[in-house]
Amino acid sequence: MAMAGDVVQISPTAQLMIHESSGGAEGNKHAMQRAGNMMDATDKAIANSYAAKSGRPVEDFLDLMAEETWLPAQEAKDLGLVDEIMTFDEPNAAPVTNSARPMLAHDKFERIKALITNQKQNTAPEPSQNALLQRKLAIFYGKEDE
């Protein structure tokens, strides 16, 4: 999936795992052989996509896949599997994540971050943890002005 992007980015804290295909089969030895052949073909297709992205030989990736290799961001970039390591230094850069739940909108994230920063810099007595939590939740749910 990652090789499908025009520009492949990776978080500086992420890892890219490359591995052989997996699956299951049921039946006689011929069914098992067909399943094994299908997984061999799938492995070659995956390795071909890595090779096409990186310009490196397919065999390099078949070897790495056989070992179930975990690549930190810089190693993934050095291998040519990713184009860029993301940074969040730019003013409008928003973190990108894989999530099954809705993400916090960037502006709300920035307001919560500012709340925490202001709290750390504030010399007034600290509000209780519950009060701070309530303020964060109000931002999260868009109820801070109520």
Side-chain angles (χ1 to χ4, degrees), residues 114-124 126:
L115 176 68
I116 293 168
T117 299
N118 288 341
Q119 184 59 41
K120 288 179 182 175
Q121 295 172 348
N122 193 352
T123 56
E126 291 187 27

Side-chain angles (χ1 to χ4, degrees), residues 17-34:
M17 189 231 331
I18 59 176
H19 58 89
E20 293 180 323
S21 59
S22 63
E26 189 175 309
N28 63 25
K29 66 181 178 183
H30 301 292
M32 301 299 168
Q33 289 168 344
R34 283 191 300 274

Side-chain angles (χ1 to χ4, degrees), residues 4-102:
D6 292 331
V7 176
V8 178
Q9 297 179 316
I10 189 170
S11 167
T13 60
Q15 295 185 58
L16 180 67
M17 189 231 331
I18 59 176
H19 58 89
E20 293 180 323
S21 59
S22 63
E26 189 175 309
N28 63 25
K29 66 181 178 183
H30 301 292
M32 301 299 168
Q33 289 168 344
R34 283 191 300 274
N37 291 341
M38 183 274 306
M39 286 192 284
D40 284 341
T42 300
D43 290 343
K44 289 176 186 166
I46 293 168
N48 278 324
S49 73
Y50 294 148
K53 174 71 178 164
S54 70
R56 294 176 181 264
V58 171
E59 293 75 23
D60 289 359
F61 294 105
L62 288 170
D63 292 341
L64 291 170
M65 290 166 60
E67 296 296 320
E68 187 180 290
T69 304
W70 291 81
L71 301 166
Q74 188 61 54
E75 287 181 37
K77 187 172 189 272
D78 293 345
L79 272 176
L81 296 178
V82 299
D83 301 304
E84 301 172 2
I85 297 175
M86 301 163 67
T87 64
F88 303 113
D89 298 333
E90 300 162 19
N92 294 321
V96 177
T97 64
N98 290 331
S99 178
R101 297 184 177 171

